Amino acid sequence: MKRPNRSARSAALVGDETSPLLACTPASWVEAAAERIPELLVDHANCEKKAASTALALIFAYPEDRALAVALSKLAREELKHFEQVDRLMRELEVPFVRQKPGRYAAELRRCLHSREPRRKLDLLLVSALIEARSCERFDLLAERLPTTVAGLYAGLRESEARHFERYLRFAESELPGEAWRPRLEELAAVEAELATTPDRDFRFHSGPPSGAR
Ligand SMILES: [Fe+2]
Ligand SMILES: [Fe+2]
């Protein structure tokens, strides 16, 4: 797999054989995050809720896939626990909840989804794997850069998100065994890498570096 835009720092996942990610988060995004912790936490809390709701939506969309339903039921509960952890930290740090416009990352990835089955199910699993993997990579980077109050939480969440992306990938693999899922993963991963690394109008947990950041 070609790995464009790889920075000198070897982030935990990019470059790893098991990682679906094609590009490291730019250092300018990490620096923006360190300067904008309240915004980061608000969006992160939203991401955890969204991760739980995505898992539930998949359970409803594919009820006949009972192995998927049971795995995602557990995953959704973990995501809601993460939400509660972030909410607790926001209260400790006196970060108010502020409504934010949805960012471009999830919207653009959603535009790539096939509309027809069985391709749609494969795409949903692969996109979920990519989002979880990006979360995992960013938790790792932020755990090194942010103050200990936030870094401690992020170091702990990293492990869960690693399990989540692996789980989604295994289910994708079982949809199209024999490596046939991999070319589609590479197509979606190229879009994801672009979204995570190119200048973005809004700063979000999964955004590119905010426009104006150097
Ligand atoms: Fe999570
Ligand atoms: Fe997750």
Side-chain angles (χ1 to χ4, degrees):
M1 203 183 272
K2 197 166 156 252
R3 299 188 185 281
N5 202 28
R6 191 170 172 194
S7 76
R9 184 197 185 282
S10 173
L13 286 163
V14 181
D16 186 296
E17 268 306 289
T18 61
S19 173
L21 298 180
L22 290 178
C24 286
T25 287
S28 54
W29 182 89
V30 180
E31 289 313 306
E35 287 165 14
R36 299 166 75 162
I37 291 175
E39 275 173 272
L40 178 78
L41 289 174
V42 170
D43 189 51
H44 175 196
N46 282 331
C47 288
E48 297 291 1
K49 286 184 277 185
K50 215 122 99 253
S53 112
T54 298
L56 286 177
L58 281 163
I59 293 174
F60 279 107
Y62 305 105
E64 67 289 344
D65 190 340
R66 291 171 65 185
L68 181 73
V70 170
L72 293 187
S73 167
K74 186 165 184 284
L75 188 148
R77 276 181 283 136
E78 280 185 17
E79 302 294 17
L80 288 176
K81 280 193 184 136
H82 296 169
F83 163 68
E84 290 165 30
Q85 287 176 276
V86 184
D87 186 67
R88 208 174 303 132
L89 181 62
M90 284 171 66
R91 286 169 199 271
E92 276 169 33
L93 300 178
E94 298 182 354
V95 174
F97 180 81
V98 179
R99 281 179 187 256
Q100 293 174 326
K101 294 191 300 302
R104 74 174 181 186
Y105 181 84
E108 291 298 314
L109 282 173
R110 225 176 4 252
R111 272 158 47 90
C112 299
L113 298 172
H114 272 286
S115 55
R116 295 224 181 139
E117 299 294 0
R119 298 294 303 270
R120 187 172 178 82
K121 185 180 180 188
L122 176 70
D123 280 4
L124 284 165
L125 293 168
L126 291 174
V127 164
S128 297
L130 288 165
I131 296 172
E132 297 279 355
R134 181 62 65 191
S135 303
C136 180
E137 185 236 13
R138 290 195 171 177
F139 284 139
D140 193 48
L141 294 168
L142 292 170
E144 284 192 5
R145 177 66 184 81
L146 299 187
T148 43
T149 37
V150 187
L153 172 63
Y154 282 9
L157 293 182
R158 184 200 174 283
E159 300 306 316
S160 303
E161 306 312 341
R163 269 189 289 107
H164 294 172
F165 92 72
E166 281 163 7
R167 193 160 301 159
Y168 275 119
L169 272 187
R170 292 297 76 79
F171 279 109
E173 196 177 346
S174 67
E175 287 300 305
L176 272 186
E179 296 289 299
W181 53 278
R182 200 172 282 278
R184 183 58 180 156
L185 173 63
E186 294 192 13
E187 284 173 11
L188 294 169
V191 175
E192 194 280 340
E194 179 88 9
L195 291 167
T197 60
T198 56
D200 205 325
R201 192 189 58 187
D202 302 305
F203 169 72
R204 294 284 185 274
F205 192 89
H206 291 103
S207 69
S211 321
R214 287 180 301 145

